Every structure is written in structure tokens, then in C-alpha cells.
Amino acid sequence: MFAKLKEQELYQDLNPRLILIGIVSSMGAMGFGFDNGWWGSALGLSQFQRKYGSYNEASGKWFMSAQKTSVGTGTGSAGIILGCILAPFVARFLGRKKSFLIMSCLITVGVVLEVTALTSFWQLVVGRIIVYSGIGLASNVVPLYQSECAPPRVRGAYLALYSFFTSFGSFLSTLTVWLSHSRSDQWQYRVVILCQLFIPFVYVSAYAFIPESPRYLVYQGRLDEAELVMNSLYNHTETIHEEVQLLRLQVEEQQELHKATSLLDCIRGTNLRRTICAMGVQTLQQAQGVSFIQNFIVVFMQQLGFADSLRTNVLVTGCGFAVHCVTFITFDKIGRRQAMMIGALGLATMMLAVGGVTAKGVGNLSNSAQNGCAAMLVLWYCIYGITWGPGPWVVAAEIGTGQLRERTIFLASMASFVTSVPINFVNPYVQKAINGSVTFIYGGWSVFAIFFIWFVLPETKGRSLEELDEMFQAKLKTREFSKYVSMGLGARITKLQAGVEDEEKIGKIDVTHEDKV
């Protein structure tokens, strides 16, 4: 068994330092899940409703109005968009590493505002906007940094850390809210908010141990620094010098033959196809219902008649988090395309089934129907966790060309969060009007996602970022990517990163030769 383990790519290519920086850099993703988790759970708390909601004399209960639910949830997405706008400039001019400090400052300021909002709902909203600005920055910088640090054979597993920690943060916050929901004092949910300060604490504490992205250093012409970083990160160090020179040649070749520097370049030539892929999967991730599950599942469970909707929410997020472990293998084994195709089919089935059960109303559902709906929502989140949770982030982070990678991720994350804004604002009203039938909308988008993956998204597993440049510029058809044999600089970089030298001794290149081929 140990011999077989040593043959696995994860064992061969990962090492303690790569794992450490992957975990530390993913703290921003954990903040995203954590804030979503506590907010979605708090909406169902009687103490939260009493503090910021209104009193219904007819029912004798406090409640959160659809307007406040909509505003509180939707403005978080607005904060993310602000962070996304800042991200390309911060990541390019300050570097990936310093971006983590900017992110930490935003999250700290936002959390302080949230915790001190003892009576003002609007102060709480402003705090969420600032926290989510840091999260928007994280949604760009974290996948960008991880894609540029990871060896190509395990890049899918490495980038899956983003979704893994998002799910972990969501589960941790919903669990904490549920465990403290019996408390009647004002710190019932504020303790959960304060836990988010752990994220900037980790970034600041580990800052000295986090290297700058080696590819960013190459893009900046800092080759000696890039070589030092790669020697500290990768297991196959005997070819690092040659690999850095190949990266330099590839950057020069791209600038000479395919120079691109602006957002407009993202929609020109072969870059348009890459942008459509990145933005498409991110948009469909939201359209299939993840915002509904994360933000409104407690309210939905209450509509179904569950007495302890918070506990059900913990079950949903806990199962979704647990299955994320599978993604460290699946995306590099079966590929991005097949995993997301299967995922879209499963997500469509679950959402449409819930819609079918609740189409005639949720007021008179039997216990078996309620339990069936809960089971299908748990399965939905599990399927999402191993497919569409990490998938869009993996694709968006690796599919852009080196010159435009920050901008491609910016457009992709903007597409995701711009899609989430109308969902977060409108869903409370739609859910109130049509109850369980709202899931038909999300299930329909999953059906559309199946066709999008089949006709548009190519397979990118196992290729270096530079090799993908060659493949897109060759204008391959979608289903030709997996069979394409690359012969350019990108293929040579892939072999070097895997510790393989070909018959021409690609590790012995003449770095002073002016011929870039």
C-alpha cells in the first residue's frame, strides 16, 4: 500500500511547505464561508430577529422583513464586487503576498463594525460590506496565488483548497450558531462574528513564511528570487534553473506574439474564448442555487415546517464540507470537464425533485415529505461540494493567459458575484411568493449548465499554465483538448515540473540563445 501511495502524484509533487502555504492562503476563502454561514443562520435566530426585526402582533412573534433580509444579504455581494474591482490593481502592483495584508485589514475593520452594531442594523450592513470587500479581494488573489504556485499535475487538488475552506468556514459558523442558539443575551451570534478575526491573525502570523508567487516574480523580471522560491516549494529541484529560463522565454514569446495588457484584451482573439469559459462557470455556479442554500436554507426549512431548522442547516453544511475531501483526488484524476458535467446533472435532479415535492405548497407536508426534501438538499450540497464548489475556481484560476490572469479572474469572480446580487435581493420575495417552487428556477439553470460544459468548456487537467496558452492559440475544438500533444515551451515546462526530462535533454537549454524556440 505504501508503494502505491508513493506512486501517486499528490505524494510525489506535494511537500509540507506547499501544503502550509496552500492552507494559509486559503484563510480568505474560509472567511467567505464563515460570514455566509453565520448570516444565513442568524436570520433564523429569535434573538437576532428581536434585535433587528419587527414584531408581528397577529402571530406574537418577531421576524425579519423581506426588505431587511434582502438588503443585508445583497449588500454583502456589493462589497464583494468592490473587492473584485480592487483585486487586479492590488495583485499586480503590490504583488500576491502583500494582497493578503490588505485583505486582513478590510476583514478586521468590517468585523469590528459588525460586532459593535448593538442596535443599528445599518452599521451591521456597512460592516458586512467592508468584510465582503476583503472577501472579494480574496476570491481573486487566493486562486491566482495558488494556481501560480502549484505543480500542474496536482493543481486541481491545490485549487480545491479554496472551496474546501469556504465550505469549512460555512460549517464551522453554522455549527457555532446552533450550539449557542439557546443563549438569550446579545452575544449569541457576536461571538461567532468575532471568530473571523482568526483569519487576519493567521495571515499576519504566517506572513514571513509565505513566499511571493514564483510566476509573479518571473513576470516582474525577478528571476533569481523566482528560482529561490521554486527551490523551496518544489520536490524536483534539479531542473529549477532551466524551468525559470523557460518561463522567461515563454513570457517574452507571449509579449512578442500575443501581447495583451488590458481588460479589452480579455475579449479579443483567442482570449475571448478563455474569458467566456471562466465567466460562464462562475455565473452558473451561482445560478444553480448556492446562494439560496447558503443564505436562505434556514428560512426555507422553517417554511417546510422543521422545528429545528438550525440543526438541519448544520447537517447540510457539515455533509457538504465532509465530501470536499474527495475533490483533492477527483479533479486531477477524472478532470474538470467530466466532474462538472456529472455535478450539473446531480444538482438538477435534486433541485427539480424538491420543487416537485413542494410545488403544491409547504404548509401541509407530511413528515416523510419534509425529511425527503431535507435529504435532497443535503445531497445537493454534497454533489456541489465535490463538483461545482471547487470547479469554477479551478477553471477560472488556470484558464487565463499569464499576461491577463489577474484580469480573467477578476471578470470571472465579478460574473459570479454580480449573478449573486439579484439572487440575494430577489430570492426573499420570490421564496415568500412561490415557496418551494423556487427550486425549479435553480434546477433549470443546472440543466443549462450541462449543455454549457459539453459544448464550451475544454479539459485542462495535467497541463502547465503555459501549455494551455499554446492550446488556446491553436484554436482547438472543445473535445480535442484532452488528446492534444503539445510540442512548445509549455510542454517542456510541464515535463520539467513533473521531474521528467525528454530525449532532447530539455533541462540543458542554452539560456543565452536568442531563438526562443
Side-chain angles (χ1 to χ4, degrees):
M1 289 180 64
F2 185 69
K4 290 183 178 180
L5 176 63
K6 292 176 69 174
E7 294 174 0
Q8 297 299 311
E9 294 167 349
L10 282 173
Y11 181 90
Q12 294 176 359
D13 290 0
L14 289 182
N15 57 57
R17 194 175 187 203
L18 262 177
I19 295 172
L20 173 65
I21 67 171
I23 292 173
V24 171
S25 63
S26 296
M27 287 296 102
M30 192 173 86
F32 185 16
F34 203 95
D35 208 83
N36 264 338
W38 86 256
W39 175 257
S41 298
L43 289 176
L45 286 174
S46 59
Q47 179 65 17
F48 188 84
Q49 294 166 352
R50 183 182 295 272
K51 180 68 67 176
Y52 301 112
S54 305
Y55 185 72
N56 187 328
E57 294 184 359
S59 63
K61 295 181 179 179
W62 292 85
F63 72 101
M64 289 294 293
S65 67
Q67 179 188 11
K68 283 191 173 181
T69 301
S70 173
V71 170
T73 306
T75 50
S77 298
I80 287 181
I81 292 173
L82 178 61
C84 289
I85 293 173
L86 293 174
F89 304 100
V90 174
R92 171 160 291 221
F93 295 111
L94 296 182
R96 288 42 163 159
K97 181 178 177 179
K98 290 182 179 178
S99 299
F100 295 137
L101 293 181
I102 305 297
M103 185 193 316
S104 298
C105 291
L106 290 170
I107 292 175
T108 301
V109 172
V111 167
V112 170
L113 285 174
E114 287 180 338
V115 170
T116 55
L118 299 179
T119 58
S120 173
F121 176 77
W122 300 108
Q123 180 181 331
L124 183 70
V125 169
V126 172
R128 278 177 58 77
I129 291 174
I130 297 176
V131 168
Y132 270 82
S133 296
I135 290 170
L137 183 59
S139 69
N140 285 255
V141 176
V142 173
L144 174 67
Y145 178 79
Q146 291 177 342
S147 71
E148 293 179 345
C149 289
R153 295 195 303 175
V154 296
R155 192 171 57 243
Y158 207 66
L159 283 165
L161 284 169
Y162 183 89
S163 180
F164 176 83
F165 275 94
T166 300
S167 181
F168 175 63
S170 181
F171 168 64
L172 194 61
S173 60
T174 55
L175 177 63
T176 308
V177 170
W178 176 63
L179 290 176
S180 64
H181 79 283
S182 60
R183 294 174 60 92
S184 59
D185 58 79
Q186 63 180 356
W187 290 98
Q188 183 185 49
Y189 55 89
R190 287 191 173 87
V191 172
V192 183
I193 302 174
L194 278 172
C195 291
Q196 290 180 95
L197 292 179
F198 175 73
I199 295 161
F201 172 78
V202 171
Y203 275 131
V204 173
S205 300
Y207 187 77
F209 303 99
I210 305 175
E212 182 55 89
S213 154
R215 278 183 169 80
Y216 174 78
L217 294 172
V218 171
Y219 300 153
Q220 298 297 310
R222 296 154 61 181
L223 303 184
D224 291 340
E225 293 179 61
E227 191 169 329
L228 287 173
V229 170
M230 293 172 75
N231 272 304
S232 70
L233 291 183
Y234 300 152
N235 294 337
H236 309 293
T237 59
E238 64 278 0
T239 59
I240 292 296
H241 178 73
E242 289 78 18
E243 184 179 340
V244 170
Q245 298 306 320
L246 281 174
L247 286 170
R248 174 183 65 82
L249 293 177
Q250 201 273 344
V251 169
E252 293 175 0
E253 182 183 84
Q254 287 293 309
Q255 291 177 341
E256 180 179 332
L257 301 178
H258 310 282
K259 187 173 178 61
T261 57
S262 68
L263 275 176
L264 287 176
D265 289 319
C266 291
I267 57 174
R268 289 173 178 159
T270 57
N271 290 325
L272 174 61
R273 183 182 180 188
R274 305 167 88 144
T275 302
I276 289 173
C277 290
M279 294 181 68
V281 293
Q282 287 282 3
T283 299
L284 288 169
Q285 182 192 55
Q286 293 295 328
Q288 291 180 81
V290 64
S291 290
F292 163 71
I293 294 291
Q294 290 176 338
N295 292 308
F296 306 112
I297 187 66
V298 172
V299 177
F300 186 73
M301 289 295 181
Q302 289 175 344
Q303 288 180 324
L304 291 178
F306 277 85
D308 194 348
S309 55
L310 287 175
R311 184 175 61 180
T312 307
N313 190 28
V314 172
L315 178 63
V316 172
T317 56
C319 291
F321 162 65
V323 300
H324 262 77
C325 298
V326 179
T327 61
F328 296 130
I329 300 174
T330 54
F331 271 85
D332 288 315
K333 288 294 184 182
I334 68 175
R336 288 68 159 144
R337 179 180 160 86
Q338 187 172 346
M340 294 174 72
M341 178 82 71
I342 296 171
L345 178 61
L347 297 181
T349 302
M350 295 302 108
M351 278 292 186
L352 294 176
V354 172
V357 173
T358 60
K360 294 183 179 180
V362 295
N364 298 313
L365 290 180
S366 64
N367 288 336
S368 59
Q370 291 178 356
N371 293 332
C373 288
M376 286 184 283
L377 290 173
V378 169
L379 284 172
W380 187 96
Y381 208 46
C382 289
I383 295 169
Y384 171 85
I386 60 176
T387 56
W388 280 86
W393 296 108
V394 174
V395 171
E398 68 185 2
I399 210 166
T401 183
Q403 301 173 83
L404 296 172
R405 191 163 294 120
E406 301 103 328
R407 289 167 173 78
T408 302
I409 295 177
F410 160 71
L411 290 174
S413 56
M414 280 289 287
S416 172
F417 299 125
V418 166
T419 304
S420 73
V421 168
I423 293 174
N424 290 334
F425 274 113
V426 174
N427 188 89
Y429 301 101
V430 176
Q431 190 170 324
K432 183 178 180 181
I434 64 175
N435 295 317
S437 295
V438 70
T439 58
F440 280 128
I441 299 173
Y442 302 121
W445 280 109
S446 292
V447 173
F448 177 80
I450 296 172
F451 292 97
F452 180 86
I453 298 300
W454 178 258
F455 290 106
V456 179
L457 186 68
E459 182 55 71
T460 55
K461 74 165 185 173
R463 309 281 189 169
S464 69
L465 299 176
E466 293 70 28
E467 193 174 2
L468 292 175
D469 282 338
E470 175 188 334
M471 297 167 74
F472 275 100
Q473 286 156 11
K475 298 181 179 179
L476 302 177
K477 294 181 180 179
T478 299
R479 288 179 291 280
E480 291 178 354
F481 269 65
S482 60
K483 300 177 182 178
Y484 182 74
V485 179
S486 177
M487 302 298 292
L489 289 174
R492 300 163 73 184
I493 292 171
T494 301
K495 291 182 179 181
L496 282 174
Q497 290 180 333
V500 178
E501 293 190 12
D502 65 14
E503 64 277 5
E504 296 179 0
K505 304 295 182 183
I506 60 174
K508 307 293 184 182
I509 63 170
D510 180 2
V511 298
T512 63
H513 199 286
E514 293 183 359
D515 183 355
K516 294 181 176 54
V517 177

